[in-house]
């Protein structure tokens, strides 16, 4: 039915027909370009080691949500995490590259996947609320992006691992760090890396001369940007007030993982 209507409208012999046909042709051309794979190779530094990444843009499209209008990009990167979803606030060129002005900093959030919280609303973490706050901040900023990495669920150890830690928390009363440490058995509880996020900046052609403001409570996330020549001009806190379900989670991240200002002294004594 839709194809028939378009064909009939495009062939009507009135003066507006050729205009409608041209608009349809341009829209189709743009849509096909947006879903055509585009691969670029970029050089990055990862923990002091120089390496090259193959980055393929798989798709681009407009997103309208409760916070504003953005462009979503989907990428494949050969860094072990594979799929990246990037929400961008910036004007796009005809080639679908965002244009970031050099006169003001770019607001950036690296967002690890959290299926339990962001998709299913698990109340023992604040991941969904953090993403919501990051999108609100992005809309209020002049330019920026949120880089979402689905495979980094469970701090990179995977969804099955995280589900098991939730089981330990529920059954034994452990906090998230205690549960993850018990399950990992000394292998470390955070395997995430952020070289792909650096690669996306380079894919977009972001100059090292443009300052970056990171939406994070974890100051360790600045290291990867700095060793690739970018200047982090400031941290924007993504702090969610604790609830009765998240207080121990936030306290564990603050005390054991070095996250900043997640809970107040009163909350700490209450949670303990």
């Amino acid at each position: 039915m839709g194809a028939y209507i378009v064909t009939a409208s495009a062939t009507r012999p009135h003066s507006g027909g050729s205009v409608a046909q041209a608009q349809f042709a341009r829209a189709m051309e743009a849509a096909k370009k947006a879903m055509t794979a585009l691969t670029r190779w970029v050089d990055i530094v990862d923990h002091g080691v120089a390496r090259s990444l193959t980055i393929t843009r798989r798709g681009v499209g407009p997103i309208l949500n409760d916070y504003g209008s953005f462009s979503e990009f989907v990428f494949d990167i050969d860094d072990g995490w594979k799929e990246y979803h990037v929400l961008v606030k910036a004007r796009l060129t005809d080639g679908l590259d965002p244009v970031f002005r050099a006169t003001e900093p770019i607001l950036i959030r690296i967002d690890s996947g959290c299926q339990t919280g962001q998709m299913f609303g698990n109340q023992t973490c604040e991941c969904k609320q953090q993403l919501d706050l990051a999108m609100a901040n992005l809309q209020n900023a002049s330019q920026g992006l949120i880089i979402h990495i689905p495979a980094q669920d469970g701090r990179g150890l995977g969804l099955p691992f995280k589900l098991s830690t939730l089981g330990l928390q529920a059954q034994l009363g452990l906090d998230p760090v205690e549960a993850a440490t018990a399950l990992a058995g000394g292998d470390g509880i955070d395997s995430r890396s952020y070289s792909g996020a650096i690669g996306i900046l380079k894919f977009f052609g972001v100059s090292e001369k443009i300052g970056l403001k990171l939406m994070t409570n974890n100051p360790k996330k600045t290291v990867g940007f700095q060793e690739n020549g970018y200047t982090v001009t400031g941290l924007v806190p993504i702090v969610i007030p604790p609830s009765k379900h998240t207080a121990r989670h936030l306290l564990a991240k603050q005390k054991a993982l070095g996250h900043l200002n997640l809970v107040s002294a009163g909350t700490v004594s209450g949670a303990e």
Side-chain angles (χ1 to χ4, degrees):
M1 177 68 72
Y4 172 79
I5 291 174
V6 168
T7 301
S9 174
T11 56
R12 287 175 186 165
H14 59 74
S15 59
S18 60
V19 174
Q21 188 175 24
Q23 290 175 337
F24 178 77
R26 286 195 298 270
M28 286 298 295
E29 181 182 3
K32 290 177 180 178
K33 178 188 293 185
M35 62 184 291
T36 299
L38 174 65
T39 298
R40 293 171 180 161
W41 293 266
V42 303
D43 295 322
I44 58 99
V45 178
D46 186 9
H47 292 88
V49 179
R51 61 174 297 196
S52 178
L53 293 177
T54 301
I55 302 181
T56 300
R57 188 189 73 199
R58 294 293 184 189
V60 190
I63 292 292
L64 175 64
N65 62 21
D66 290 341
Y67 304 99
S69 299
F70 309 97
S71 298
E72 181 179 356
F73 291 71
V74 59
F75 290 97
D76 283 348
I77 304 180
D78 63 342
D79 66 339
W81 305 113
K82 188 173 172 57
E83 186 171 276
Y84 285 71
H85 300 175
V86 184
L87 205 62
V88 173
K89 183 180 180 182
R91 178 179 66 84
L92 301 188
T93 67
D94 290 341
L96 300 177
D97 284 317
V99 178
F100 295 109
R101 296 179 298 278
T103 55
E104 45 198 318
I106 300 173
L107 186 66
I108 296 179
R109 166 77 175 167
I110 303 177
D111 185 71
S112 298
C114 177
Q115 189 223 56
T116 53
Q118 293 173 341
M119 183 179 295
F120 293 127
N122 178 48
Q123 296 183 29
T124 63
C125 75
E126 82 287 19
C127 297
K128 182 181 186 301
Q129 292 84 357
Q130 282 191 320
L131 179 56
D132 288 342
L133 178 56
M135 288 190 291
N137 288 347
L138 184 60
Q139 173 60 21
N140 292 329
S142 58
Q143 57 183 7
L145 61 160
I146 296 172
I147 302 172
H148 178 74
I149 314 172
Q152 288 193 355
D153 209 332
R155 295 190 181 87
L157 298 180
L159 180 58
F161 180 90
K162 184 174 75 175
L163 291 173
S164 291
T165 69
L166 292 176
L168 287 178
Q169 292 172 63
Q171 295 173 46
L172 301 180
L174 302 180
D175 68 39
V177 174
E178 292 169 338
T181 301
L183 275 180
D187 291 334
I189 64 170
D190 192 340
S191 67
R192 293 173 296 179
S193 62
Y194 305 112
S195 57
I198 306 298
I200 287 169
L201 292 185
K202 292 181 176 289
F203 182 100
F204 285 152
V206 175
S207 168
E208 291 85 353
K209 296 179 181 179
I210 304 180
L212 308 178
K213 294 181 71 173
L214 301 189
M215 291 188 280
T216 185
N217 308 316
N218 182 2
K220 296 176 184 177
K221 286 188 176 181
T222 65
V223 175
F225 294 97
Q226 292 167 338
E227 74 171 347
N228 281 274
Y230 291 102
T231 299
V232 177
T233 62
L235 302 183
V236 178
I238 302 292
V239 175
I240 305 300
S243 70
K244 65 180 181 180
H245 300 297
T246 63
R248 294 196 72 208
H249 173 87
L250 296 174
L251 175 60
K253 290 203 294 185
Q254 181 167 295
K255 293 180 66 175
L257 304 180
H259 292 213
L260 302 176
N261 303 319
L262 300 187
V263 290
S264 66
T267 304
V268 170
S269 60
E272 291 180 323

